[in-house]
Amino acid sequence: MSVRLSLRKFFAMEATGGLLLIIAAVVALLANNSPASSWYMGFLDIPVWLRLGPLELAKPLLLWINDGLMALFFLLIGLEVKREMLQGHLAKPSQVILPGAAALGGMAVPALIYWTLNHQDPAAAAGWAIPTATDIAFALGVLALLGKRVPASLKLFLMTLAIIDDLGAIVIIALFYSGALSSTALMLAAGCMAVLFGLNRAGVRRLAPYLLVGAVLWVCVLKSGVHATLAGVALAFFIPLRGGDETEHEAPLLRLEHALHPWVSYAILPLFAFANAGISLAGMNLESFTHSVPLGITAGLLAGKTIGVFGLTFLAVRSGLAALPTGANWGQLLGVAVLCGIGFTMSIFVGSLAFDPATSVYAGQDRMGILTGSTLAAIGGYLIMAAASKRAA
């Protein structure tokens, strides 16, 4: 029996994971703005040590979640991207044109809006990439509320768009959000990738050797100055997509993707949301929401994503380069464009890289903008989709 997820099961899992994200974020907000605030902050500050001979990693629990567990999230993204590029929705140029154009517009326009509002302050301008992200789990969670009124082709369009968006986010993190580089650690990381390449070329189909070398790769990347989560992406591209005997053994990539998906959807992402969404609302007023950083993020997610995704989709269809998803109408496309403004998970992650929570004055403000923009996008997208789907029915 194939372990590859059916589309129905995939969407169901993503939708449930999106609802768990919402619950985790709300619980975190309540916890940090209640008498339980000291417990919440104390939980995130729990020191965790890992020591192996001369190697010692000592970080608070929050950083283990953001640097360690999120590497598994990026590993899953890498596996999905590789599979889609080789035999899925990214395998043929004709399948990529429409979601690719939408993803490009959905990254460029929000970044431009944010930069326009914050370019005079270099420290604030560092957050330009925050509103470029789309949270597929959250967005599909909202779509799930509409049930069968949403055509499957539109869900596939959103999924493919989000995968391309995630790939763009990976490139942005690698190019713009890496710290001071360590040549020694980078050389060791390159050595690990050479070993992974050798395993792949030698036809090794067991996952254990890849995961063992991948763990060493994560430590090397962590120490190199490049963000540690990118080790997950690098590892994914070396996992074989073909099994040794397809009639008896499933492809290693599909087995690993199948095993990771429920853990990421039901545990890692909700835990990440709980750890990062708990902003303190003490002392906040209307002026706090109209500061250029939260305003730029909110405007980028809500207006930028809508204009970028819908505008490039419209141009691609009208120019004859692509066609509307089967069974979908322009109203539903507009609703999906608004839903793409739900940045949440990846936006919070990029925000933690752009604004160091320990030193930056914008660390809380960026999350305020993310939560505001994502919430408005979820509500607006749902209402538009409901109205457009009702007319279509």
Side-chain angles (χ1 to χ4, degrees):
M1 178 179 177
S2 174
V3 299
R4 183 172 181 176
L5 296 175
S6 68
L7 287 176
R8 180 177 297 179
K9 186 175 181 180
F10 173 85
F11 289 134
M13 191 175 296
E14 289 288 344
T16 305
L19 295 177
L20 288 176
L21 278 177
I22 298 172
I23 295 171
V26 171
V27 171
L29 276 171
L30 293 175
N32 203 26
N33 292 278
S34 71
S37 176
S38 58
W39 171 87
Y40 175 78
M41 298 306 298
F43 170 74
L44 298 181
D45 290 335
I46 293 175
V48 179
W49 287 276
L50 177 63
R51 185 168 185 175
L52 184 63
L55 175 65
E56 181 177 1
L57 299 176
K59 294 175 177 289
L61 181 60
L62 175 62
L63 292 184
W64 279 101
I65 294 172
N66 290 353
D67 292 350
L69 292 181
M70 287 300 284
L72 297 177
F73 167 65
F74 276 84
L75 171 58
L76 179 61
I77 289 178
L79 294 172
E80 291 177 346
V81 169
K82 179 177 179 178
R83 172 173 52 78
E84 293 294 339
M85 290 178 67
L86 293 180
Q87 57 179 219
H89 297 93
L90 304 180
K92 298 179 180 179
S94 60
Q95 296 174 305
V96 180
I97 292 175
L98 190 63
L104 180 61
M107 289 186 283
V109 178
L112 180 60
I113 289 176
Y114 180 91
W115 183 85
T116 300
L117 294 174
N118 290 277
H119 69 279
Q120 295 179 340
D121 181 355
W128 63 270
I130 296 174
T132 64
T134 295
D135 191 320
I136 184 175
F138 214 139
L140 286 175
V142 175
L143 279 186
L145 300 176
L146 296 168
K148 296 181 179 179
R149 286 180 287 172
V150 179
S153 62
L154 205 57
K155 296 177 182 179
L156 286 172
F157 169 77
L158 176 59
M159 181 188 74
T160 309
L161 187 161
I163 289 174
I164 297 173
D165 190 284
D166 286 340
L167 187 59
I170 290 168
V171 174
I172 289 172
I173 291 170
L175 295 179
F176 299 100
Y177 293 106
S178 295
L181 300 180
S182 165
S183 57
T184 301
L186 285 174
M187 290 177 61
L188 291 173
C192 289
M193 287 191 285
V195 173
L196 289 170
F197 177 78
L199 291 172
N200 184 288
R201 296 300 295 173
V204 176
R205 296 295 178 261
R206 293 178 60 237
L207 285 171
Y210 292 97
L211 298 179
L212 180 61
V213 177
V216 178
L217 174 64
W218 177 81
V219 175
C220 295
V221 174
L222 177 69
K223 296 293 186 179
S224 72
V226 178
H227 200 272
T229 52
L230 297 180
V233 181
L235 171 61
F237 279 88
F238 291 105
I239 303 295
L241 184 56
R242 297 177 181 174
D245 183 351
E246 293 296 341
T247 61
E248 298 180 6
H249 304 287
E250 291 293 348
L253 184 147
L254 301 181
R255 283 190 284 120
L256 183 57
E257 183 182 354
H258 177 75
L260 277 178
H261 209 285
W263 285 100
V264 170
S265 297
Y266 299 149
I268 293 175
L269 290 184
L271 181 59
F272 174 82
F274 177 77
N276 290 274
I279 61 174
S280 175
L281 302 179
M284 289 188 179
N285 50 37
L286 182 60
E287 187 176 341
S288 302
F289 287 89
T290 56
H291 185 278
S292 61
V293 168
L295 182 61
I297 294 173
T298 300
L301 288 173
L302 191 59
K305 281 288 186 180
T306 302
I307 295 170
V309 172
F310 187 80
L312 268 291
T313 299
F314 182 84
L315 290 176
V317 172
R318 289 303 187 192
S319 64
L321 292 175
L324 278 175
T326 305
N329 58 45
W330 283 110
Q332 291 172 324
L333 254 296
L334 178 61
V336 166
V338 177
L339 286 178
C340 286
I342 305 175
F344 203 65
T345 304
M346 191 66 80
S347 290
I348 291 177
F349 185 78
V350 175
S352 69
L353 302 181
F355 305 130
D356 187 345
T359 60
S360 176
V361 296
Y362 300 124
Q365 295 183 12
D366 73 312
R367 297 178 191 184
M368 190 191 317
I370 293 167
L371 292 177
T372 303
S374 296
T375 301
L376 292 175
I379 296 173
Y382 174 81
L383 293 176
I384 294 173
M385 284 293 300
S389 298
K390 184 177 181 180
R391 288 198 301 271

